[in-house]
Amino acid sequence: MDVPFWMWAAVLSFIVVMLAVDLLAHRKAHVIGVREAAVWSCVWVAFGVAFGVLVWMNWGAEFGQQYFAGYLIEKSLSVDNVFVWAIIFSYFAVPREFQHRVLFLGVLGALVFRAIFIAAGAVLIQNFAWILYVFAAFLLYTGYRMIRQRNDHLNPEQSLVLRGFRRFIPMTEAYHGQKLLVRRNGVLLATPLLAVLVLIEFTDVVFAVDSIPAIFAVTDEVFLVFTANAFAILGLRAMYFLLADLIHRFIYLKVGLALVLVWVGIKMLLKIDLFYIPTAVSLAVVATIITVSVVASLRATRGQGRKSIPQPTDPPFRVATDEENIELEPVWKRRRTKAHTRQQSDAADTDGESETRGGVEADREVSTKDGGSR
């Protein structure tokens, strides 16, 4: 697959522009409702599908099918990210109007980390063919572990990342709007929102360890691996606000995701030494597994409405009061104030020296006059 440089530049430029549009559309903190989330989800899915059609028309059906297989795998595995985010936000009682800012920065970091992982994976596959056995074994083990631990959930309270953050980074115990850093009594402090962002970034890195080998099982093209990841990740924020209150209904989805990982692991093993399973077959199998798991989940839980995850009775963080926000100092103004104070001090010293010189010269003139009169 021959991808010209301008195509890479166009894709990256489009991603940057859409991130900027998304940021401007949500520049003011507000609660994102289901309708707004649904609209944005449709927009992101439309972009992802349109790009797949573009790949199909320019590089043929095989590469188009590889892109759609990778996109579907990444989109499906991303649902697990959404559920983990919902648990994190609920445990830390993050106000809903502040969640989009965290997710925006989290997705931005996820794009960077995924690009690094994809580049590293491509280099490993190109230079060490045996690494495919490792990837395949890892996918099979991860799928098996997900089936065994399908009823287990993340416990943020036991997170080593959060403990390390709170131990080494001074932070407040209250949310100060959408601020990640605040200054109080001259001390720069992290807010709980920054701690939540770090935890979300870490969980995405963990999920990337599963998803990147999975997509390499359906395509070796770095361009397709990256674009499928990027378009799947860009819609994660909207997907979260759309599905966060429906977690309790997707009771079989984790089993479906585990079977997808097992399937792509088997496909990768067979591709190494035996035979290549056509991409159309892989795409059909993945789509069938996900569809069956979603439909079975919704049928088993029909009649249940939207329900948010209950927050702990005593959450670790709270929202700051207006008085506490008023007491905060500008985060970066202190440095400018010091420099300004130093300039004022230097100017005062210079003025003082000038006045002293002027006084001395005046005394000399008086002394001279007195001496002359005598």
Side-chain angles (χ1 to χ4, degrees), residues 144-155:
Y144 167 75
R145 186 186 61 187
M146 286 182 65
I147 293 175
R148 286 197 59 185
Q149 301 176 354
R150 60 186 178 276
N151 297 321
D152 296 341
H153 301 288
L154 171 72
N155 187 353

Side-chain angles (χ1 to χ4, degrees), residues 64-278:
Q65 292 171 3
Q66 289 181 15
Y67 167 82
F68 280 115
Y71 177 76
L72 183 59
I73 289 174
E74 291 300 322
K75 201 70 172 177
S76 303
L77 293 176
S78 296
V79 178
D80 212 12
N81 286 45
V82 168
F83 293 168
V84 171
W85 291 351
I87 293 173
I88 293 174
F89 283 143
S90 176
Y91 176 80
F92 294 117
V94 180
R96 292 184 71 91
E97 60 268 26
F98 302 156
Q99 293 176 5
H100 183 274
R101 175 63 59 85
V102 176
L103 294 181
F104 177 86
L105 296 174
V107 167
L108 191 61
L111 287 171
V112 175
F113 283 119
R114 296 293 179 100
I116 294 173
F117 288 168
I118 291 170
V123 171
L124 288 174
I125 293 174
Q126 185 176 4
N127 292 278
F128 308 100
W130 53 265
I131 201 69
L132 292 175
Y133 292 102
V134 177
F135 286 172
F138 180 76
L139 290 172
L140 293 173
Y141 171 74
T142 303
Y144 167 75
R145 186 186 61 187
M146 286 182 65
I147 293 175
R148 286 197 59 185
Q149 301 176 354
R150 60 186 178 276
N151 297 321
D152 296 341
H153 301 288
L154 171 72
N155 187 353
E157 186 178 5
Q158 299 178 356
S159 172
L160 296 178
V161 176
L162 180 63
R163 292 182 184 179
F165 186 90
R166 301 189 71 172
R167 180 178 180 181
F168 296 104
I169 306 296
M171 62 181 293
T172 66
E173 296 299 325
Y175 297 105
H176 295 272
Q178 298 189 90
K179 295 182 176 66
L180 301 178
L181 297 171
V182 295
R183 187 179 294 278
R184 189 171 59 194
N185 297 326
V187 179
L188 189 65
L189 302 171
T191 68
L193 216 57
L194 181 58
V196 173
L197 174 61
V198 170
L199 186 57
I200 284 179
E201 288 287 7
F202 177 78
T203 57
D204 183 77
V205 170
V206 173
F207 281 113
V209 174
D210 297 339
S211 63
I212 298 303
I215 195 171
F216 270 115
V218 296
T219 179
D220 298 328
E221 298 294 335
V222 176
F223 181 72
L224 298 182
V225 173
F226 174 75
T227 51
N229 263 274
F231 282 104
I233 290 173
L234 286 173
L236 272 182
R237 295 180 307 285
M239 183 188 295
Y240 165 78
F241 292 107
L242 185 64
L243 301 179
D245 295 339
L246 295 174
I247 294 177
H248 60 286
R249 297 201 59 186
F250 292 90
I251 57 178
Y252 301 126
L253 183 59
K254 199 163 188 177
V255 175
L257 297 178
L259 293 178
V260 168
L261 291 179
V262 171
W263 165 250
V264 295
I266 293 173
K267 171 180 167 55
M268 182 174 283
L269 279 178
L270 294 177
K271 183 176 74 170
I272 297 173
D273 295 320
L274 298 177
F275 62 93
Y276 177 77
I277 298 176

Side-chain angles (χ1 to χ4, degrees), residues 24-36:
L24 290 175
H26 302 91
R27 62 186 180 277
K28 293 183 179 180
H30 66 281
V31 177
I32 297 179
V34 176
R35 183 176 180 179
E36 182 180 357

Side-chain angles (χ1 to χ4, degrees), residues 348-361:
D349 291 343
T350 303
D351 294 340
E353 291 176 0
S354 300
E355 291 177 0
T356 302
R357 293 195 199 98
V360 171
E361 292 176 357

Side-chain angles (χ1 to χ4, degrees), residues 323-336:
E323 291 76 11
E324 289 175 322
N325 287 327
I326 292 175
E327 292 175 355
L328 296 177
E329 304 166 9
V331 174
W332 308 117
K333 186 177 179 180
R334 185 175 178 82
R335 292 182 179 178
R336 294 195 297 270

